[in-house]
Structures are given as structure tokens and as C-alpha cells.
Amino acid sequence: MGKSGFHPLSERGAPYLLSALLLGLSYPSYPYVRLELFAWVWMVPMLLALKPVTSFCKFVRNVYLTMLMVFVCGMSWLVMANVLGGVLLFFIGSLVFTVPFIFFYLIRRALGWRIALWTAPLLWTSWDWLYQQTEGSFGWISIGLSQSNLNWMVQYADITGVWGITFWLTLFNVLVVMAFEEWRATKRIWVRRVALPLGLMILLPLAYSAWVFTRAAQADKQITVLLVQPNIDPWQKMDDRAASLEKCIALTRHALATTKPDLIIWPETAIPYALPHDQELKKELGPIIARWSTPLLTGTLDLRTYAEDEARPPLLRDEQRDFDVFNAATLLVPAADKHTVSFAGEVYHKQVLMPFLERVPFADRLPSLTRLAAHFGEVQNMGRGDLATSFSFNTGAGQSVRVAAPICYEQLYPAKMAEFVRGGAEMFALLTNEGWWSKTHGQYQLAAFTRLRSIETRRTIARCANTGLTCLIDPLGRTYEQAPWWEARTLTGTVRLSSETSLYVRYPDYFPKACLWLSLSLLMAALAAEIGRVRMKIQVKGDGMMRK
């Protein structure tokens, strides 16, 4: 085997396998498994092994195979919903994680190993963010998310968002690589040049987190919420919609016998009908909600019908239908006549749809791509919303409350969550359905990612799941109430309302954009250096021929 050959079970493949295990295992899993610190050194074995690799093809191959092992190790739960889709995601995710290393290789070739190491944090951060802006992005492909449960360390996410965590982790890995190289060369570690920066990288986040925790204010405004977790098999929900709805009603009715909340929250598609257009269903729900005397925020479906063929988007024309179906949320308020319900605001349409499962990327422009849609138990190629709608209601005590209701997959997109807060949301009611992943650690991983959204926005999140983790998360990312897993239960708790606006909410993309511009500048410098090197070789060769 050549010097740069790769086989995961060989001696030369061991560093790559170690890096894959370190990163894959660092992602959140079950609550009793806390390995997130592995991510602080995951790059080290691989970078040291890649240093002598000069062949571009071998470099990319080794990185790609390593990243593939990362996804198999850290996100195997994804195959429970759709085996083909999960396996496809492994290959796509591995490619996405490989891209920053390609840029790293180009900079190393042109400007040298040391400069490439210093640019690695910029490359990773800018690519993490840039990829998430694409229509076909998978939101959990980010190494910063590995630290989601480390809330006592990552409070600075309210400044930089998850992108700052990606930067910090990569920089720490780079410094460890430099420390190892210095030790290998001199058999000693220079405290001022290496040990001190590493120590500061640990102490500074801890100091900021300590400051945040000590100054955390008590809630000026708070409400009581009732979360309903019906625990309905998502694969069968649409086959018996009436039974699914009745279960939510029964659980709510039973809970209200002993508690009086300010807001009732049902999970994603708890009402599996197009409620805004179903007058009969409104008449049935009206007296029920009126007797509860409490607003109900619920997941539902919505329709948009196009009367004229010219008005239909290309996707609908290709599928020969004149309506769009939306994954939606709405707020129902008890009407005074006790026979109907009123809408407290517009219906919210889910803006970020899961690629291939809820909507095929770029299907608007290339409708033929819809053949790639994977079966997920719901309508494929759903409509996409374009407004960060939130809802207002008054409590029984006359207190005005504004709540946003992001839906499931949107919890992975921090800028979308920040948009709700800029629109005035004082809390989040996250409506989700995670029964697709069966009894794997997928629910725990997604709930951990939700904690970062609380820190970034400084908002309490009432996380209401059909099946998954129903819980309350405070603005510091701490879970303080949680319903039992895989049980039909209700959860009552107090939610703090906030009007605070974090730096991240005000300027959600400033940090990764700055990293992107710096990365582009370095890549341009690398390109200029490479062009200069090629010209020099041509000139030397030409001079040699002239002498002959």
C-alpha cells in the first residue's frame, strides 16, 4: 500500500477511523451519553495523516471516506424513516463535509501548510453557513451542532449563532495540531505560543457563560401552557384522521379537569385536515374550544386553490393538480357565541421543508425532479410558506402575548428562528412529529439542537411533539420540564416571555458572512499564487529550451 493509501482497518487508515469516531460520537444521542468534547480534537488525527498526502485524488478520497464513516456513526437513526433516503443523505452529507477540505487542500498547495491551518476555521464556518442557504440543504450537517447539549459552554451562540461554535471548534483543533507538531519537532510545548491560547479558548466561553447565568433576569411576564403529546403512529395518522383528532381532544379535556392554562398547544398536523377551509370541522370544534375558554395553537393542514391554469406554478401543472397543500399552524380562540372559532391571525405555512421528503429541491424550476420524492407518510411536494407569521392572543388576565410556531424541521435553521423574534415573538411553540425515527436517539438529538435555538434567540421554547420529546426549554438552553417518551401524555408548565433581542437575532448572518469574505480573499490569493507558480515553471522551461 502506498504512503497515502487508505483502508480503515490498516495502520495508515487508523487516524481517519479515529477522526470519524471522534466526530460521529460527539453528536448528541441518549441523555446519559455525553461525548461532545470529542469534537474538540476530532480533526487532529486526520489532519496529521493528510499532511504528507500530495495527490489531490487521494486527499479527497481519504477525506470523503472519513466523512462517510462520520455519518454512519453519528446519524444512523435517519434510516428508520426511509432507508433509501437515509443512505442517500449519508453520501450527500459526506460530500458536503468534504468541500471545506478541498478548499483547504488548494490553499495548502498554493500558500503552504501553516497558512492553510489558520484558514481552516474560516473555511469551515463559511461553508457551513453557505450550504444551509441552499434549497436542498440538510439542516443537521454542521459540526457546531455537536455541542448542543454543552449549554454551560456555548452561551456565546447569542452573539454568533451556531456558526461561532463551528469556528471555535475548528480553531481549537488547529491549535492542537500545531501543538502536536511543535512537540514532535522540539519535544517541548511553548506555553506562550500554544498552551496559553488553548487554555484561553476554554476559559473565555466558560467566563462568558458564567456571566450570562449570573445576570439572567427573572421573568417579568410569564404564562402557563398545556402541551399535548398524543403519541400517534405517524405512518397511520392519515388513515384514521378522526381518531387522531379525537385523541388530542380527549387528552386535553382530561388535563383541563385539573389545570387552567393560558394556552393549549397541539403538535404538528394534530388536526390532519385543511382546517382553515373546513367549515364543518370549525363548527364541531367551536363549542369544544369555547368550553375550554383557552386559545388553542395547533398544527394543521392548509390548501391554496388556483382557479386559473395560468396562475398555477409549474410544479402543480406538472402534477396535474390545481391546489397546493401546506404544513401549517394556526391559533384558534374561543368565540363569544360558543359555536364557532375565530382565527387570531393568519395561518402560518411552514417555510423550510425537508428535502425529498416534503418537497424535492428545485422542483419549482425543474418539475421533472418530483419523481425523486421519497414516501414519508405525508403529502409529497408540499407548498412552501414565505412569511414568518406569529400569533397574538390575550390571557384571561388580559395580558397580551405573541407566540411563533415554527414546525419541526425549521428548528434546524437559526436564521429562520431569529426572523420570528424580529417579528415580535415573545416565545416559541415548536410543533413537531418525530415518530418517524422509532425508538432511536434521533428524538434526543433533534431536541438537543432545539436548545441552541433557545440560546441564540433568548426565547423559551415549548416543544410539543406528537411522538418524540415534549419539553420546555428556557432561554439559557436548559430543559426544565419533560413528558415521558413514547407515551400519550400532557405536560403543564410555566413559560417565561421575553422581549430581549440578542446580537444574533439583530444580525443573524454577520459572522459567517465575514468568514466567507475572508475565505474568498484567501482563495483568490491562493489562485494568484498558483498562477504565478505555473508561469514560473513555464518561464523556467522556456529558458531551459533556449539554452539548449
Side-chain angles (χ1 to χ4, degrees):
M1 181 178 293
K3 185 176 181 180
S4 60
F6 175 82
H7 189 283
L9 299 181
S10 72
E11 181 180 349
R12 298 192 190 282
Y16 301 102
L17 178 60
L18 179 58
S19 281
L21 291 174
L22 287 172
L23 181 57
L25 294 175
S26 70
Y27 279 89
S29 58
Y30 296 102
Y32 46 83
V33 179
R34 300 298 302 272
L35 302 175
E36 50 265 59
L37 292 179
F38 283 2
W40 288 67
V41 292
W42 81 271
M43 276 188 187
V44 177
M46 181 170 63
L47 284 175
L48 293 173
L50 287 171
K51 185 176 182 180
V53 180
T54 57
S55 167
F56 176 76
C57 292
K58 290 180 179 179
F59 187 97
V60 173
R61 181 195 64 187
N62 290 1
V63 171
Y64 183 81
L65 291 175
T66 302
M67 297 300 105
L68 186 59
M69 288 189 287
V70 168
F71 276 85
V72 171
C73 177
M75 298 182 184
S76 56
W77 54 272
L78 289 165
V79 302
M80 296 302 297
N82 185 284
V83 175
L84 179 60
V87 172
L88 178 64
L89 177 58
F90 293 163
F91 286 98
I92 294 175
S94 304
L95 178 61
V96 172
F97 267 21
T98 301
V99 170
F101 282 99
I102 295 175
F103 295 141
F104 175 88
Y105 175 89
L106 298 175
I107 291 177
R108 185 194 73 170
R109 177 181 170 87
L111 303 177
W113 173 254
R114 200 74 169 184
I115 293 178
L117 284 178
W118 284 117
T119 61
L122 298 173
L123 295 173
W124 265 97
T125 305
S126 54
W127 177 250
D128 257 12
W129 173 79
L130 192 63
Y131 166 72
Q132 200 178 86
Q133 310 313 304
T134 65
E135 189 174 324
S137 67
F138 293 93
W140 49 77
I141 300 181
S142 169
I143 62 172
L145 290 173
S146 65
Q147 307 300 292
S148 299
N149 279 328
L150 211 64
N151 65 305
W152 47 269
M153 184 66 132
V154 296
Q155 293 296 320
Y156 63 92
D158 69 345
I159 301 174
T160 64
V162 67
W163 323 115
I165 302 174
T166 296
F167 181 92
W168 208 252
L169 283 176
T170 309
L171 180 58
F172 193 89
N173 274 271
V174 164
L175 290 177
V176 173
V177 169
M178 291 180 175
F180 185 84
E181 289 182 329
E182 182 169 313
W183 175 83
R184 191 161 55 182
T186 65
K187 301 304 179 184
R188 62 186 297 183
I189 297 293
W190 294 97
V191 173
R192 187 175 61 181
R193 289 199 326 224
V194 179
L196 182 59
L198 286 173
L200 287 175
M201 288 199 69
I202 296 173
L203 292 176
L204 288 176
L206 287 174
Y208 182 75
S209 295
W211 178 75
V212 169
F213 278 109
T214 54
R215 68 181 287 272
Q218 297 297 318
D220 295 327
K221 293 174 59 179
Q222 60 185 30
I223 62 170
T224 302
V225 297
L226 170 66
L227 310 180
V228 177
Q229 177 179 283
N231 195 41
I232 298 169
D233 185 343
W235 298 104
Q236 300 176 4
K237 174 189 280 189
M238 293 301 173
D239 295 332
D240 194 349
R241 304 185 185 200
S244 299
L245 177 56
E246 183 54 42
K247 189 170 186 180
C248 289
I249 293 173
L251 286 167
T252 305
R253 184 181 292 124
H254 182 266
L256 291 177
T258 57
T259 187
K260 177 56 178 172
D262 298 301
L263 176 66
I264 301 167
I265 303 174
W266 287 0
E268 181 182 11
T269 61
I271 300 180
Y273 301 91
L275 176 63
H277 302 274
D278 195 328
Q279 300 303 321
E280 290 299 320
L281 182 58
K282 288 181 184 180
K283 290 179 180 178
E284 293 179 19
L285 286 175
I288 297 173
I289 298 175
R291 284 194 294 271
W292 294 346
S293 299
T294 306
L296 168 66
L297 179 58
T298 180
T300 185
L301 298 175
D302 194 17
L303 297 176
R304 178 182 295 161
T305 303
Y306 297 86
E308 299 180 1
D309 184 71
E310 294 77 12
R312 284 191 296 163
L315 176 59
L316 298 187
R317 289 200 295 269
D318 183 75
E319 295 185 343
Q320 298 182 347
R321 55 187 171 102
D322 61 357
F323 62 92
D324 238 340
V325 181
F326 295 90
N327 193 345
T330 191
L331 181 67
L332 305 177
V333 178
D337 60 11
K338 299 187 178 182
H339 294 292
T340 60
V341 294
S342 62
F343 290 92
E346 297 181 10
V347 177
Y348 170 65
H349 293 158
K350 186 176 181 181
Q351 298 179 86
V352 186
L353 304 176
M354 188 174 289
F356 300 103
L357 301 177
E358 289 183 307
R359 189 180 183 87
V360 176
F362 313 111
D364 289 336
R365 293 172 287 282
L366 297 171
S368 59
L369 292 177
T370 57
R371 280 66 172 175
L372 300 175
H375 178 66
F376 203 56
E378 300 280 358
V379 178
Q380 274 71 56
N381 294 310
M382 303 186 77
R384 182 173 52 231
D386 54 9
L387 293 175
T389 306
S390 56
F391 307 100
S392 296
F393 68 95
N394 292 322
T395 66
Q399 180 178 234
S400 177
V401 178
R402 194 160 187 85
V403 55
I407 300 174
C408 194
Y409 190 61
E410 293 180 313
Q411 67 190 297
L412 301 175
Y413 289 80
K416 287 295 180 185
M417 301 288 276
E419 187 179 356
F420 285 112
V421 175
R422 290 197 301 274
E426 299 171 287
M427 63 166 285
F428 287 110
L430 176 64
L431 314 182
T432 186
N433 179 14
E434 292 153 7
W436 313 107
W437 323 123
S438 188
K439 294 186 178 181
T440 66
H441 64 272
Q443 289 91 337
Y444 289 111
Q445 191 171 103
L446 290 170
F449 297 164
T450 310
R451 300 176 73 181
L452 271 183
R453 304 293 89 86
S454 285
I455 295 172
E456 290 163 344
T457 60
R458 294 304 180 198
R459 291 294 183 273
T460 301
I461 297 180
R463 195 175 196 278
C464 187
N466 164 52
T467 300
L469 288 186
T470 295
C471 60
L472 299 177
I473 304 172
D474 75 4
L476 297 173
R478 299 174 295 191
T479 300
Y480 60 97
E481 296 284 354
Q482 182 173 309
W485 192 24
W486 281 87
E487 293 183 21
R489 297 291 289 269
T490 58
L491 173 67
T492 304
T494 300
V495 167
R496 169 191 170 185
L497 305 178
S498 175
S499 57
E500 176 186 355
T501 304
S502 67
L503 183 65
Y504 176 75
V505 167
R506 293 197 296 271
Y507 311 103
D509 294 333
Y510 82 93
F511 186 79
K513 282 183 177 179
C515 291
L516 177 61
W517 283 111
L518 288 172
S519 297
L520 290 175
S521 300
L522 287 165
L523 287 170
M524 292 297 293
L527 179 61
E530 189 64 21
I531 292 173
R533 184 179 291 110
V534 171
R535 286 178 175 174
M536 183 66 69
K537 287 182 179 179
I538 294 173
Q539 183 178 355
V540 170
K541 187 176 180 180
D543 292 343
M545 292 178 66
M546 289 179 66
R547 292 192 190 99
K548 290 180 180 180

mmCIF file of all heavy atoms in Angstrom, residues 353-379:
data_model
loop_
_atom_site.group_PDB
_atom_site.id
_atom_site.type_symbol
_atom_site.label_atom_id
_atom_site.label_comp_id
_atom_site.label_asym_id
_atom_site.label_seq_id
_atom_site.Cartn_x
_atom_site.Cartn_y
_atom_site.Cartn_z
ATOM 1 N N LEU A 353 -38.856 23.178 4.183
ATOM 2 C CA LEU A 353 -39.373 21.824 4.012
ATOM 3 C C LEU A 353 -38.227 20.831 3.881
ATOM 4 O O LEU A 353 -37.192 21.127 3.282
ATOM 5 C CB LEU A 353 -40.268 21.758 2.775
ATOM 6 C CG LEU A 353 -41.438 22.745 2.762
ATOM 7 C CD1 LEU A 353 -42.189 22.657 1.441
ATOM 8 C CD2 LEU A 353 -42.386 22.469 3.924
ATOM 9 N N MET A 354 -38.420 19.644 4.433
ATOM 10 C CA MET A 354 -37.371 18.635 4.395
ATOM 11 C C MET A 354 -37.152 18.162 2.956
ATOM 12 O O MET A 354 -38.083 17.708 2.300
ATOM 13 C CB MET A 354 -37.728 17.448 5.294
ATOM 14 C CG MET A 354 -36.597 16.453 5.439
ATOM 15 S SD MET A 354 -36.963 15.139 6.637
ATOM 16 C CE MET A 354 -36.891 16.076 8.168
ATOM 17 N N PRO A 355 -35.916 18.267 2.454
ATOM 18 C CA PRO A 355 -35.646 17.899 1.059
ATOM 19 C C PRO A 355 -36.012 16.440 0.750
ATOM 20 O O PRO A 355 -35.727 15.547 1.548
ATOM 21 C CB PRO A 355 -34.135 18.128 0.928
ATOM 22 C CG PRO A 355 -33.798 19.101 2.001
ATOM 23 C CD PRO A 355 -34.722 18.788 3.134
ATOM 24 N N PHE A 356 -36.656 16.257 -0.380
ATOM 25 C CA PHE A 356 -37.049 14.960 -0.933
ATOM 26 C C PHE A 356 -38.195 14.285 -0.167
ATOM 27 O O PHE A 356 -38.861 13.414 -0.709
ATOM 28 C CB PHE A 356 -35.854 13.989 -1.003
ATOM 29 C CG PHE A 356 -34.740 14.482 -1.852
ATOM 30 C CD1 PHE A 356 -33.598 15.020 -1.277
ATOM 31 C CD2 PHE A 356 -34.836 14.447 -3.234
ATOM 32 C CE1 PHE A 356 -32.561 15.500 -2.063
ATOM 33 C CE2 PHE A 356 -33.802 14.926 -4.028
ATOM 34 C CZ PHE A 356 -32.664 15.452 -3.437
ATOM 35 N N LEU A 357 -38.419 14.699 1.069
ATOM 36 C CA LEU A 357 -39.469 14.068 1.862
ATOM 37 C C LEU A 357 -40.733 14.919 1.898
ATOM 38 O O LEU A 357 -41.840 14.411 1.799
ATOM 39 C CB LEU A 357 -38.961 13.789 3.277
ATOM 40 C CG LEU A 357 -37.723 12.884 3.325
ATOM 41 C CD1 LEU A 357 -37.247 12.711 4.757
ATOM 42 C CD2 LEU A 357 -38.015 11.529 2.693
ATOM 43 N N GLU A 358 -40.565 16.232 2.051
ATOM 44 C CA GLU A 358 -41.711 17.137 1.967
ATOM 45 C C GLU A 358 -41.743 17.882 0.635
ATOM 46 O O GLU A 358 -42.815 18.251 0.166
ATOM 47 C CB GLU A 358 -41.672 18.151 3.119
ATOM 48 C CG GLU A 358 -41.990 17.542 4.470
ATOM 49 C CD GLU A 358 -42.007 18.571 5.571
ATOM 50 O OE1 GLU A 358 -41.017 19.313 5.715
ATOM 51 O OE2 GLU A 358 -43.012 18.645 6.305
ATOM 52 N N ARG A 359 -40.575 18.105 0.083
ATOM 53 C CA ARG A 359 -40.506 18.798 -1.208
ATOM 54 C C ARG A 359 -39.160 18.516 -1.860
ATOM 55 O O ARG A 359 -38.119 18.589 -1.202
ATOM 56 C CB ARG A 359 -40.698 20.305 -1.014
ATOM 57 C CG ARG A 359 -40.863 21.097 -2.319
ATOM 58 C CD ARG A 359 -41.053 22.576 -2.017
ATOM 59 N NE ARG A 359 -41.281 23.368 -3.207
ATOM 60 C CZ ARG A 359 -42.471 23.577 -3.751
ATOM 61 N NH1 ARG A 359 -43.557 23.055 -3.197
ATOM 62 N NH2 ARG A 359 -42.610 24.314 -4.832
ATOM 63 N N VAL A 360 -39.174 18.194 -3.135
ATOM 64 C CA VAL A 360 -37.941 17.932 -3.878
ATOM 65 C C VAL A 360 -37.272 19.274 -4.202
ATOM 66 O O VAL A 360 -37.924 20.165 -4.742
ATOM 67 C CB VAL A 360 -38.219 17.143 -5.165
ATOM 68 C CG1 VAL A 360 -36.940 16.967 -5.977
ATOM 69 C CG2 VAL A 360 -38.826 15.789 -4.837
ATOM 70 N N PRO A 361 -35.986 19.428 -3.884
ATOM 71 C CA PRO A 361 -35.298 20.697 -4.170
ATOM 72 C C PRO A 361 -35.340 21.049 -5.659
ATOM 73 O O PRO A 361 -35.226 20.173 -6.520
ATOM 74 C CB PRO A 361 -33.856 20.412 -3.719
ATOM 75 C CG PRO A 361 -33.980 19.313 -2.718
ATOM 76 C CD PRO A 361 -35.131 18.473 -3.174
ATOM 77 N N PHE A 362 -35.543 22.327 -5.910
ATOM 78 C CA PHE A 362 -35.531 22.904 -7.258
ATOM 79 C C PHE A 362 -36.668 22.383 -8.145
ATOM 80 O O PHE A 362 -36.627 22.554 -9.361
ATOM 81 C CB PHE A 362 -34.183 22.640 -7.948
ATOM 82 C CG PHE A 362 -32.998 22.947 -7.077
ATOM 83 C CD1 PHE A 362 -32.179 21.929 -6.607
ATOM 84 C CD2 PHE A 362 -32.718 24.250 -6.707
ATOM 85 C CE1 PHE A 362 -31.099 22.206 -5.780
ATOM 86 C CE2 PHE A 362 -31.631 24.541 -5.887
ATOM 87 C CZ PHE A 362 -30.830 23.515 -5.430
ATOM 88 N N ALA A 363 -37.684 21.763 -7.530
ATOM 89 C CA ALA A 363 -38.815 21.249 -8.317
ATOM 90 C C ALA A 363 -39.621 22.377 -8.949
ATOM 91 O O ALA A 363 -40.303 22.159 -9.957
ATOM 92 C CB ALA A 363 -39.718 20.390 -7.437
ATOM 93 N N ASP A 364 -39.566 23.583 -8.392
ATOM 94 C CA ASP A 364 -40.276 24.717 -8.987
ATOM 95 C C ASP A 364 -39.767 25.000 -10.394
ATOM 96 O O ASP A 364 -40.541 25.317 -11.299
ATOM 97 C CB ASP A 364 -40.095 25.976 -8.127
ATOM 98 C CG ASP A 364 -40.860 25.880 -6.827
ATOM 99 O OD1 ASP A 364 -41.838 25.118 -6.776
ATOM 100 O OD2 ASP A 364 -40.464 26.547 -5.860
ATOM 101 N N ARG A 365 -38.457 24.890 -10.566
ATOM 102 C CA ARG A 365 -37.858 25.205 -11.858
ATOM 103 C C ARG A 365 -37.730 23.980 -12.767
ATOM 104 O O ARG A 365 -37.745 24.102 -13.982
ATOM 105 C CB ARG A 365 -36.484 25.848 -11.646
ATOM 106 C CG ARG A 365 -36.582 27.224 -10.978
ATOM 107 C CD ARG A 365 -35.247 27.772 -10.584
ATOM 108 N NE ARG A 365 -34.669 27.090 -9.433
ATOM 109 C CZ ARG A 365 -35.040 27.310 -8.170
ATOM 110 N NH1 ARG A 365 -36.013 28.170 -7.903
ATOM 111 N NH2 ARG A 365 -34.462 26.686 -7.177
ATOM 112 N N LEU A 366 -37.608 22.805 -12.133
ATOM 113 C CA LEU A 366 -37.494 21.558 -12.897
ATOM 114 C C LEU A 366 -38.503 20.549 -12.349
ATOM 115 O O LEU A 366 -38.156 19.676 -11.549
ATOM 116 C CB LEU A 366 -36.063 21.005 -12.790
ATOM 117 C CG LEU A 366 -34.947 21.864 -13.382
ATOM 118 C CD1 LEU A 366 -33.584 21.297 -13.012
ATOM 119 C CD2 LEU A 366 -35.097 21.952 -14.902
ATOM 120 N N PRO A 367 -39.769 20.676 -12.734
ATOM 121 C CA PRO A 367 -40.821 19.809 -12.175
ATOM 122 C C PRO A 367 -40.545 18.322 -12.350
ATOM 123 O O PRO A 367 -41.040 17.506 -11.568
ATOM 124 C CB PRO A 367 -42.070 20.232 -12.960
ATOM 125 C CG PRO A 367 -41.786 21.629 -13.410
ATOM 126 C CD PRO A 367 -40.319 21.664 -13.672
ATOM 127 N N SER A 368 -39.761 17.944 -13.347
ATOM 128 C CA SER A 368 -39.487 16.529 -13.562
ATOM 129 C C SER A 368 -38.740 15.903 -12.389
ATOM 130 O O SER A 368 -38.762 14.675 -12.207
ATOM 131 C CB SER A 368 -38.682 16.337 -14.847
ATOM 132 O OG SER A 368 -37.457 17.045 -14.780
ATOM 133 N N LEU A 369 -38.100 16.742 -11.551
ATOM 134 C CA LEU A 369 -37.371 16.224 -10.398
ATOM 135 C C LEU A 369 -38.295 15.640 -9.336
ATOM 136 O O LEU A 369 -37.831 14.945 -8.427
ATOM 137 C CB LEU A 369 -36.524 17.339 -9.770
ATOM 138 C CG LEU A 369 -35.350 17.861 -10.601
ATOM 139 C CD1 LEU A 369 -34.665 19.007 -9.868
ATOM 140 C CD2 LEU A 369 -34.345 16.745 -10.872
ATOM 141 N N THR A 370 -39.595 15.905 -9.443
ATOM 142 C CA THR A 370 -40.528 15.410 -8.420
ATOM 143 C C THR A 370 -40.559 13.894 -8.358
ATOM 144 O O THR A 370 -41.004 13.326 -7.370
ATOM 145 C CB THR A 370 -41.953 15.935 -8.685
ATOM 146 O OG1 THR A 370 -42.361 15.529 -9.997
ATOM 147 C CG2 THR A 370 -41.989 17.446 -8.593
ATOM 148 N N ARG A 371 -40.070 13.237 -9.390
ATOM 149 C CA ARG A 371 -40.015 11.766 -9.365
ATOM 150 C C ARG A 371 -39.063 11.256 -8.294
ATOM 151 O O ARG A 371 -39.099 10.081 -7.923
ATOM 152 C CB ARG A 371 -39.557 11.219 -10.714
ATOM 153 C CG ARG A 371 -40.621 11.141 -11.801
ATOM 154 C CD ARG A 371 -41.121 12.486 -12.230
ATOM 155 N NE ARG A 371 -41.998 12.417 -13.404
ATOM 156 C CZ ARG A 371 -42.635 13.461 -13.896
ATOM 157 N NH1 ARG A 371 -42.513 14.656 -13.315
ATOM 158 N NH2 ARG A 371 -43.404 13.337 -14.955
ATOM 159 N N LEU A 372 -38.221 12.144 -7.785
ATOM 160 C CA LEU A 372 -37.250 11.749 -6.764
ATOM 161 C C LEU A 372 -37.825 11.809 -5.351
ATOM 162 O O LEU A 372 -37.132 11.479 -4.390
ATOM 163 C CB LEU A 372 -36.015 12.659 -6.831
ATOM 164 C CG LEU A 372 -35.239 12.651 -8.154
ATOM 165 C CD1 LEU A 372 -34.128 13.683 -8.103
ATOM 166 C CD2 LEU A 372 -34.683 11.264 -8.445
ATOM 167 N N ALA A 373 -39.082 12.231 -5.206
ATOM 168 C CA ALA A 373 -39.688 12.363 -3.883
ATOM 169 C C ALA A 373 -39.744 11.007 -3.191
ATOM 170 O O ALA A 373 -40.060 9.982 -3.795
ATOM 171 C CB ALA A 373 -41.087 12.950 -3.998
ATOM 172 N N ALA A 374 -39.410 11.003 -1.895
ATOM 173 C CA ALA A 374 -39.454 9.779 -1.094
ATOM 174 C C ALA A 374 -40.747 9.736 -0.301
ATOM 175 O O ALA A 374 -41.250 10.766 0.153
ATOM 176 C CB ALA A 374 -38.251 9.728 -0.147
ATOM 177 N N HIS A 375 -41.289 8.539 -0.122
ATOM 178 C CA HIS A 375 -42.533 8.402 0.639
ATOM 179 C C HIS A 375 -42.240 8.600 2.121
ATOM 180 O O HIS A 375 -41.364 7.970 2.689
ATOM 181 C CB HIS A 375 -43.136 7.023 0.425
ATOM 182 C CG HIS A 375 -44.399 6.801 1.225
ATOM 183 N ND1 HIS A 375 -45.560 7.508 0.982
ATOM 184 C CD2 HIS A 375 -44.655 5.981 2.271
ATOM 185 C CE1 HIS A 375 -46.494 7.112 1.849
ATOM 186 N NE2 HIS A 375 -45.954 6.192 2.635
ATOM 187 N N PHE A 376 -43.002 9.487 2.744
ATOM 188 C CA PHE A 376 -42.763 9.824 4.152
ATOM 189 C C PHE A 376 -44.057 9.820 4.949
ATOM 190 O O PHE A 376 -44.133 10.375 6.025
ATOM 191 C CB PHE A 376 -42.094 11.196 4.224
ATOM 192 C CG PHE A 376 -41.310 11.444 5.476
ATOM 193 C CD1 PHE A 376 -40.299 10.578 5.852
ATOM 194 C CD2 PHE A 376 -41.569 12.543 6.272
ATOM 195 C CE1 PHE A 376 -39.565 10.816 6.995
ATOM 196 C CE2 PHE A 376 -40.834 12.785 7.424
ATOM 197 C CZ PHE A 376 -39.821 11.926 7.776
ATOM 198 N N GLY A 377 -45.076 9.233 4.426
ATOM 199 C CA GLY A 377 -46.334 9.156 5.153
ATOM 200 C C GLY A 377 -47.203 10.379 5.044
ATOM 201 O O GLY A 377 -48.313 10.412 5.555
ATOM 202 N N GLU A 378 -46.716 11.449 4.421
ATOM 203 C CA GLU A 378 -47.482 12.677 4.246
ATOM 204 C C GLU A 378 -47.524 13.012 2.750
ATOM 205 O O GLU A 378 -47.058 12.261 1.899
ATOM 206 C CB GLU A 378 -46.820 13.827 5.019
ATOM 207 C CG GLU A 378 -46.717 13.576 6.524
ATOM 208 C CD GLU A 378 -48.025 13.849 7.254
ATOM 209 O OE1 GLU A 378 -48.989 14.263 6.579
ATOM 210 O OE2 GLU A 378 -48.066 13.651 8.464
ATOM 211 N N VAL A 379 -48.093 14.168 2.423
ATOM 212 C CA VAL A 379 -48.131 14.607 1.031
ATOM 213 C C VAL A 379 -46.724 14.991 0.583
ATOM 214 O O VAL A 379 -46.011 15.689 1.284
ATOM 215 C CB VAL A 379 -49.079 15.810 0.878
ATOM 216 C CG1 VAL A 379 -49.081 16.307 -0.555
ATOM 217 C CG2 VAL A 379 -50.491 15.420 1.317
#
